[in-house]
Amino acid sequence: MAATQSRPVHLGLRRVLGASLCGVALVLSGCAKSEEPAAQAPQGTGGAQAPVAPAANGPTCTLSQYGGAQLDLKNAIVGFSQSEKEANPFRIAETQSIKDEAAKAGVKQLLTTNANSQLSKQISDIQDMINKGAQALIVAPLNSDGLEPALSAARAKNIPVLTVDRKVNSAACKDYVSFLGSNFVEQGKRAAREMAKALGNKGKVAILLGASGNNVTTDRTAGFVDELKASAPDIQVVAQQTGEFARDKGQQVMEQIIQAQQDINGVYAENDEMGLGALVALRSAGKKPGTDIHVVSIDGTRNAVQKVVDGEMSAVVESNPRFGPLAFQTLRSFLSGQPVQQNVVISDKLYGKDNAAAELGNAY
């Protein structure tokens, strides 16, 4: 949900069943018409994150490099800065995961804030948590640029900062400790391959872009467009318009696109909320999603995966928001003096027609 920087190549669809702290330790050296609720899901594994094994020479960061003193999380005040209001399932799951893991880790105090999509508020939120005694920070950046005043305030006190799900255009192990998140270019490439499969390598596609100013949108777009050019050049991208990662905006944009481009047969939504909004617009225009127009999106929300099961979406590429275990294990390792990777890339699965029903319980 995360400016274009290279990240390790995605290595497959490995999952960790149940609690994933052991696996984590090994790698550390959105008003539209409402979609109906998803059907009751089968029992799942909880969809825990599984980091991709880092490159042998991947850059690391240590407490001695960054500055500061060792600290036990059970004696620590930790702050979490959420970027967007928790109306989007990704944000709901992300925040809850941080809260749940903080409780499991026995953190002395967890401070939480929500910037409600305002950069100035996120800056002041972080500064306020620092003033309240935060000794470590987990930040879900709103944009890749603009958080420098907040990062500088933390750096002045050697407060370690982890960024999750979106990267910032600053220096790891200098302005912040580490980034935890997906390979967004690879997500776009996987979405393109699924679109090519659904369209038989020929057709016209519209892209519902995410919010501008962050590397999630930049990378998911680049990955998708580049992969189509390389492997399915007969598929044309005929429209690109931002839906701002919101369901109502996705619906509005899709209504405009379908009027201007009535012969499209594919829609790539850079998150599930926009994809679900697009389904409403397509049905209202007399189109049959899954038959007339194929929709591929990214995130892995329960409602979107249900649409794959129902045949209305062709595929959903996962972007796992459950950062709690990984974030706190990274902090625990770092604050104890161990080296941590500057880029911790997680392995995302694919929900397609062959596995969506069985994997529905892992969606969020």
Side-chain angles (χ1 to χ4, degrees), residues 68-341:
Q70 292 191 17
L71 179 66
D72 186 341
L73 284 176
K74 293 184 178 180
N75 298 316
I77 300 173
V78 179
F80 173 58
S81 171
Q82 180 57 274
S83 58
E84 300 171 1
K85 62 183 179 181
E86 281 132 16
N88 184 316
F90 184 98
R91 297 298 165 190
I92 295 171
E94 183 177 62
T95 297
Q96 192 60 52
S97 177
I98 296 293
K99 289 180 177 179
D100 290 347
E101 194 59 32
K104 290 180 182 178
V107 171
K108 178 181 177 181
Q109 184 180 2
L110 178 69
L111 307 174
T112 61
T113 61
N114 193 303
N116 291 315
S117 298
Q118 300 173 53
L119 181 60
S120 60
K121 186 176 187 307
Q122 185 159 45
I123 293 170
S124 63
D125 283 346
I126 294 170
Q127 293 171 334
D128 185 54
M129 288 191 290
I130 292 171
N131 292 335
K132 289 180 178 178
Q135 296 162 287
L137 291 166
I138 302 168
V139 177
L142 177 63
N143 295 326
S144 293
D145 295 301
L147 280 180
E148 291 82 5
L151 295 176
S152 295
R155 197 67 188 87
K157 294 187 175 183
N158 289 334
I159 298 171
V161 177
L162 300 182
T163 65
V164 298
D165 82 63
R166 290 177 183 171
K167 271 197 171 185
V168 292
N169 290 325
S170 299
C173 206
K174 178 182 177 183
D175 303 310
Y176 66 99
V177 171
S178 180
F179 163 74
L180 319 179
S182 298
N183 183 330
F184 304 108
V185 171
E186 180 60 26
Q187 288 178 340
K189 289 182 177 181
R190 296 178 78 189
R193 292 192 288 268
E194 292 303 308
M195 182 65 74
K197 186 189 303 182
L199 298 184
N201 295 312
K202 186 175 183 178
K204 295 182 178 181
V205 173
I207 301 177
L208 301 186
L209 303 167
S212 60
N214 66 79
N215 73 312
V216 176
T217 297
T218 302
D219 289 359
R220 286 178 181 173
T221 304
F224 184 83
V225 172
D226 290 349
E227 182 65 21
L228 285 187
K229 288 179 180 178
S231 62
D234 289 333
I235 296 179
Q236 297 176 266
V237 176
V238 296
Q240 297 186 50
Q241 192 168 339
T242 182
E244 298 176 3
F245 287 133
R247 191 183 299 199
D248 57 347
K249 185 68 173 179
Q251 179 180 343
Q252 293 166 14
V253 168
M254 193 71 253
E255 289 169 347
Q256 297 166 9
I257 290 175
I258 199 65
Q259 290 178 8
Q261 302 283 348
Q262 297 186 16
D263 58 346
I264 62 169
N265 55 0
V267 175
Y268 166 47
E270 293 185 342
N271 83 336
D272 287 350
E273 286 295 284
M274 293 190 297
L276 292 168
L279 292 181
V280 176
L282 291 172
R283 289 195 296 262
S284 296
K287 303 293 184 179
K288 186 175 181 181
T291 301
D292 301 329
I293 297 181
H294 296 274
V295 180
V296 175
S297 67
I298 298 177
D299 265 352
T301 65
R302 185 72 56 85
N303 281 340
V305 177
Q306 182 67 53
K307 294 305 179 184
V308 178
V309 176
D310 296 342
E312 291 195 79
M313 279 191 174
S314 295
V316 172
V317 178
E318 182 188 51
S319 193
N320 197 323
R322 301 175 180 98
F323 284 99
L326 182 58
F328 281 99
Q329 181 58 42
T330 303
L331 277 180
R332 185 179 293 108
S333 297
F334 179 77
L335 291 171
S336 69
Q338 299 176 43
V340 299
Q341 294 293 315

